[in-house]
């Protein structure tokens, strides 16, 4: 822990050592009849053999991990490293994402996947990152089981980005706390599987006269990470579940 240097990072490391991901039976929080987004009720499809929604999915082949790499900014705020996906990519070109990707055969665990992908995409040396926790799995629109891996970077100056131009167009960082605030937050009503409505979160981050929309799965993961680390719920309220809450509700309905 001494290697983390910052008192803030050491406190987070100590806090997350005690973190326990919520189970499938944990209920989504509701305050005054509104879903707050404070607990996304992320489902783990490996639990519950009777889950009809995901029974045919091979989760080893459809397993991925992303790295939530946190560091302390110059004003003492927590910041997270993000990428803008290359416009050359067939899947989600130009989207903002966390470093990460699908598990490969040589990866021993989710942390290994996240760290390897971060090195391949932006040149982040795994020796600079202190992994402290994994959050509960998220389910992507294309049914990937995505595990967010939280890692701490003690000195941002040690990170010299080297971008893989085939995968990444830009790397930047944002304050983690923004994902709990109503500022720059917007949401859209969407429909999944023809008849299930859910809310799609999006945050607009402006930097050097460019706006980076942070949306969808990445936004949901960072709302959850911020809620866990700051131990408080977001300021915004919504009347619909987000995609993760929807998947959990469907999973519960499928259980006997």
């Amino acid at each position: 822990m001494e290697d983390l240097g910052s008192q803030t990072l050491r406190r987070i490391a100590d806090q997350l050592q005690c973190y326990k991901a919520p189970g499938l039976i944990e209920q989504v929080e509701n305050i005054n009849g509104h879903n707050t987004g404070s607990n996304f009720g992320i489902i783990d499809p490996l639990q519950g053999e009777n889950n009809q929604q995901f029974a045919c999915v091979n989760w080893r082949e459809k397993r991925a991990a992303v790295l939530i790499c946190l560091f302390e900014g110059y004003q003492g705020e927590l910041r997270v490293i993000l990428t803008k996906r290359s416009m050359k990519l067939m899947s989600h070109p130009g989207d903002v994402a966390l470093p990460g990707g699908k598990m490969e055969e040589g990866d021993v665990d989710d942390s290994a996947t996240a760290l390897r992908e971060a090195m391949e995409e932006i040149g982040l040396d795994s020796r600079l990152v202190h992994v402290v926790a994994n959050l509960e799995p998220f389910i992507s629109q294309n049914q990937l089981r995505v595990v967010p891996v939280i890692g701490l970077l003690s000195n941002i100056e040690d990170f010299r980005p080297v971008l893989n131009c085939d995968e990444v167009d830009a790397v930047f960082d944002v304050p983690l706390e923004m994902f709990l605030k109503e500022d720059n937050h917007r949401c859209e009503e969407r429909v999944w599987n023809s008849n299930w409505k859910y809310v799609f979160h999006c945050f607009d981050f402006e930097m050097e006269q460019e706006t980076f929309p942070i949306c969808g799965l990445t936004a949901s993961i960072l709302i959850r990470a911020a809620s866990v680390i700051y131990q408080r719920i977001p300021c915004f309220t919504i009347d619909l579940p987000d995609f993760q809450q929807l998947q959990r509700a469907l999973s519960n309905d499928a259980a006997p």
Side-chain angles (χ1 to χ4, degrees):
M1 295 299 179
E2 290 77 8
D3 293 341
L4 292 174
S6 162
Q7 183 176 353
T8 299
L9 295 183
R10 289 199 300 269
R11 175 183 56 78
I12 291 171
D14 289 340
Q15 171 191 335
L16 291 179
Q17 281 185 336
C18 303
Y19 177 73
K20 183 179 179 182
L24 182 62
I25 62 172
E26 184 169 348
Q27 297 299 309
V28 175
E29 281 191 350
N30 289 278
I31 295 181
N32 296 328
H34 295 287
N35 291 315
T36 63
S38 60
N39 182 334
F40 290 95
I42 313 304
I43 64 171
D44 185 345
L46 297 184
Q47 301 177 24
E49 295 179 358
N50 295 308
N51 187 339
Q52 300 171 8
Q53 191 72 30
F54 302 100
C56 297
V57 178
N58 183 331
W59 291 106
R60 174 66 189 181
E61 293 181 0
K62 295 183 71 66
R63 186 171 176 174
V66 294
L67 181 64
I68 303 174
C69 187
L70 302 175
F71 66 93
E72 190 170 9
Y74 296 119
Q75 297 180 346
E77 78 283 11
L78 278 178
R79 302 186 71 87
V80 58
I81 295 174
L82 294 170
T83 69
K84 180 180 178 182
R85 290 169 59 85
S86 171
M87 295 302 295
K88 303 175 185 176
L89 293 171
M90 297 292 292
S91 174
H92 305 291
D95 282 7
V96 172
L98 291 156
K102 294 183 69 173
M103 176 173 277
E104 294 186 357
E105 188 174 348
D107 297 336
V108 296
D109 56 20
D110 298 307
S111 296
T113 299
L115 292 171
R116 174 185 54 75
E117 289 282 347
M119 179 62 185
E120 292 176 1
E121 291 179 8
I122 59 175
L124 178 57
D125 191 333
S126 62
R127 294 172 294 183
L128 300 176
V129 181
H130 184 83
V131 173
V132 291
N134 290 1
L135 296 182
E136 52 274 18
F138 283 64
I139 306 302
S140 72
Q141 292 276 355
N142 57 357
Q143 301 300 283
L144 276 176
R145 178 181 184 264
V146 182
V147 176
V149 176
I150 300 179
L152 306 179
L153 180 61
S154 60
N155 187 359
I156 187 60
E157 301 296 336
D158 291 336
F159 171 43
R160 305 295 176 88
V162 179
L163 305 189
N164 179 343
C165 296
D166 290 331
E167 297 188 34
V168 174
D169 279 347
V171 61
F172 62 102
D173 55 84
V174 302
L176 181 65
E177 195 174 15
M178 71 175 281
F179 299 100
L180 298 179
K181 297 181 178 180
E182 198 163 6
D183 301 343
N184 302 319
H185 171 259
R186 54 190 170 87
C187 56
E188 304 170 6
E189 182 180 304
R190 296 199 174 183
V191 177
W192 181 76
N193 206 18
S194 299
N195 57 353
W196 298 101
K197 292 182 179 180
Y198 68 95
V199 68
F200 181 84
H201 291 284
C202 198
F203 297 83
D204 294 316
F205 179 73
E206 295 185 5
M207 183 181 68
E208 299 177 355
Q209 299 182 335
E210 184 174 359
T211 299
F212 294 89
I214 306 164
C215 304
L217 179 64
T218 298
S220 290
I221 288 174
L222 290 172
I223 293 171
R224 177 61 178 163
S227 298
V228 169
I229 290 171
Y230 287 103
Q231 298 184 322
R232 69 176 194 264
I233 64 175
C235 294
F236 44 84
T237 59
I238 52 177
D239 295 318
L240 289 171
D242 76 351
F243 187 74
Q244 301 304 316
Q245 291 170 318
L246 173 62
Q247 295 299 298
R248 178 174 179 270
L250 293 175
S251 175
N252 285 345
D253 288 344

